[in-house]
Amino acid sequence: MDYQLDLDWNEFLQRYWQKRPVIIKRAFSGFIDPLSPDELAGLAMENEVDSRLVSHDDGRWQVSHGPFESFDHLGETNWSLLVQAVDHWHEPSAALLRPFRRLPDWRIDDLMISFSVPGGGVGPHFDQYDVFIIQGAGRRHWRVGDKTPLKQHSPHPDLLQVEPFEAIIDEEMEPGDVLYIPPGFPHEGYALENALNYSVGFRAPSSRELVSGFADYVLAQELGSYRYTDPDIQLREDPALVQPAEVDALRNMMLDLVNQPTEFNNWFGEFISQSRHELDLAPPEPPYQAGEIYDLLQQGEVLHRAGGLRVLKVGDACFVNGEKMVTSQHQAASVMASHYQVNSDLLGEALDDPSFLALLAALINSGYWFFVN
């Protein structure tokens, strides 16, 4: 399915992106769900798939995590099934992410899909990331409040909700409508009838995550071996005092590590190209030989990227699933990052380079790209 999003991106970015929420009516005209509730339930039964059931009754909230064996015990109201990273496991659903590639790939995280019966929802809460919520089959009532400090509480250890809020958006959504919510805006949605919702979430790494990730890289690469020196140390009256200049020198030692562009780019490429959720990888058996790959591409076969695989460009290097693509064929690597499907025309003369063919074979044999048999 080729989903076409009716959105003036320039106006949206200027007026709404990370500024205020908005409902875009009929953003997808004639919207067709890429999967059924039964298919979503089937995914929630798989060990590798991250899923949860959220239900409430008389103010008592319950959360259970998949994989699930059965849904027969559930009633007809007040529960939701939520499945993360469906784009990794269901190719037709992954097509819903494509219209949002007007925003950078590195910011897009995954596609979460929920099925809710009447009254189903996860309660009032706010997120620390941008999200577009696409209404599929059924109707859902959404309330969104202004970005103001609200007390949070946990009605269940696996849920974090906020106190009641005054709504600035209070509307029903129908198939094809899209709700955009920036970080920090409280919201709650309840199904009015059996309903499917598709949430396109965005990554927003915290400074804690960045520092932790970079520290791991420094250790792994054995960087930062330079030690503190003070050849001009001065006597001081109070030996317990750490001089401001000494603190500055120590801080600069740490900043010098971050301020190495090549190392920082390599770390960030590895860090941001890693998926938060398991990938549906199927390495071929037996593995492909480079010559076989060359012949197949020359015969018109197309390579498809595995669902959810993150392929990103940082500087003049490309990274895939936490690894740098080491090649002199930068244009071909860039094509593989920009396109979900690649053929011999797109890869061009790089196919005549044995080292690039060897890289391509390694990527295919890892299950990152595949031929459709």
Side-chain angles (χ1 to χ4, degrees):
M1 182 71 183
D2 183 19
Y3 291 99
Q4 298 295 322
L5 177 59
D6 185 8
L7 177 64
D8 184 329
W9 279 102
N10 289 324
E11 179 188 15
F12 171 79
L13 293 178
Q14 183 178 1
R15 296 186 61 185
Y16 299 107
W17 178 254
Q18 299 210 332
K19 301 174 185 69
R20 54 180 173 151
V22 62
I23 287 183
I24 306 152
K25 301 296 290 184
R26 295 174 293 280
F28 290 98
S29 61
F31 184 82
I32 298 174
D33 291 283
L35 85 177
S36 68
D38 284 344
E39 289 176 295
L40 188 69
L43 285 173
M45 293 179 172
E46 300 291 336
N47 287 323
E48 301 85 358
V49 178
D50 183 7
S51 60
R52 58 182 175 143
L53 268 171
V54 180
S55 62
H56 62 97
D57 183 31
D58 292 332
R60 295 189 302 273
W61 291 85
Q62 296 293 327
V63 180
S64 54
H65 295 269
F68 299 101
E69 295 183 358
S70 172
F71 302 95
D72 294 341
H73 64 288
L74 297 171
E76 296 183 356
T77 60
N78 299 339
W79 60 265
S80 291
L81 172 65
L82 303 96
V83 182
Q84 291 288 157
V86 178
D87 55 302
H88 294 199
W89 305 94
H90 191 260
E91 188 173 353
S93 295
L96 273 175
L97 292 178
R98 310 287 162 78
F100 297 94
R101 289 192 81 201
R102 299 297 298 275
L103 299 168
D105 281 351
W106 80 266
R107 287 284 271 115
I108 297 176
D109 197 0
D110 73 334
L111 177 71
M112 188 272 286
I113 301 181
S114 65
F115 171 73
S116 303
V117 297
V122 298
H125 65 284
F126 63 79
D127 301 310
Q128 299 294 351
Y129 51 83
D130 302 89
V131 63
F132 291 88
I133 301 172
I134 305 162
Q135 182 65 47
R139 294 177 300 127
R140 197 175 181 96
H141 190 154
W142 283 96
R143 297 179 69 254
V144 185
D146 209 347
K147 190 175 183 179
T148 55
L150 291 172
K151 290 183 180 179
Q152 292 183 291
H153 62 96
S154 296
H156 184 279
D158 292 337
L159 283 180
L160 192 59
Q161 297 182 355
V162 296
E163 60 190 356
F165 56 85
E166 184 176 341
I168 57 175
I169 290 178
D170 192 346
E171 292 189 40
E172 291 182 15
M173 285 176 57
E174 298 177 335
D177 294 347
V178 172
L179 169 62
Y180 164 71
I181 308 173
F185 284 78
H187 52 278
E188 61 176 335
Y190 291 99
L192 301 173
E193 55 196 25
N194 288 357
L196 283 165
N197 283 89
Y198 307 84
S199 298
V200 180
F202 286 74
R203 282 197 177 186
S206 67
S207 53
R208 181 187 298 128
E209 290 177 278
L210 296 176
V211 169
S212 175
F214 188 68
D216 290 342
Y217 177 84
V218 167
L219 294 173
Q221 300 297 319
E222 298 184 350
L223 304 176
S225 59
Y226 174 80
R227 288 187 175 273
Y228 175 80
T229 61
D230 50 6
D232 300 319
I233 191 171
Q234 301 292 315
L235 298 176
R236 66 200 70 182
E237 293 183 6
D238 183 357
L241 176 66
V242 182
Q243 296 281 5
E246 294 168 331
V247 174
D248 287 344
L250 292 164
R251 183 173 61 250
N252 287 333
M253 283 177 61
M254 299 177 70
L255 291 175
D256 284 345
L257 283 172
V258 178
N259 289 330
Q260 297 179 37
T262 299
E263 295 293 353
F264 189 87
N265 283 3
N266 282 340
W267 160 72
F268 187 68
E270 293 179 5
F271 172 82
I272 204 64
S273 65
Q274 295 178 45
S275 173
R276 295 180 189 270
H277 301 277
E278 189 141 357
L279 295 168
D280 184 17
L281 300 179
E285 287 292 343
Y288 281 97
Q289 299 298 314
E292 294 178 86
I293 294 169
Y294 179 87
D295 290 342
L296 285 169
L297 287 169
Q298 294 298 345
Q299 291 164 16
E301 295 293 329
V302 176
L303 278 172
H304 298 253
R305 184 191 300 182
L309 186 72
R310 297 175 68 80
V311 192
L312 300 167
K313 295 181 275 190
V314 181
D316 60 357
C318 293
F319 298 83
V320 52
N321 199 31
E323 302 175 57
K324 185 176 181 178
M325 295 170 64
V326 180
T327 178
S328 60
Q329 298 292 340
H330 300 300
Q331 181 60 36
S334 178
V335 162
M336 296 184 72
S338 298
H339 296 267
Y340 283 100
Q341 300 177 5
V342 293
N343 56 22
S344 60
D345 290 340
L346 286 172
L347 295 175
E349 296 179 357
L351 292 178
D352 297 322
D353 180 348
S355 64
F356 179 76
L357 269 180
L359 170 66
L360 199 56
L363 295 171
I364 294 170
N365 291 330
S366 295
Y368 293 162
W369 277 267
F370 59 92
F371 292 107
V372 177
N373 295 323

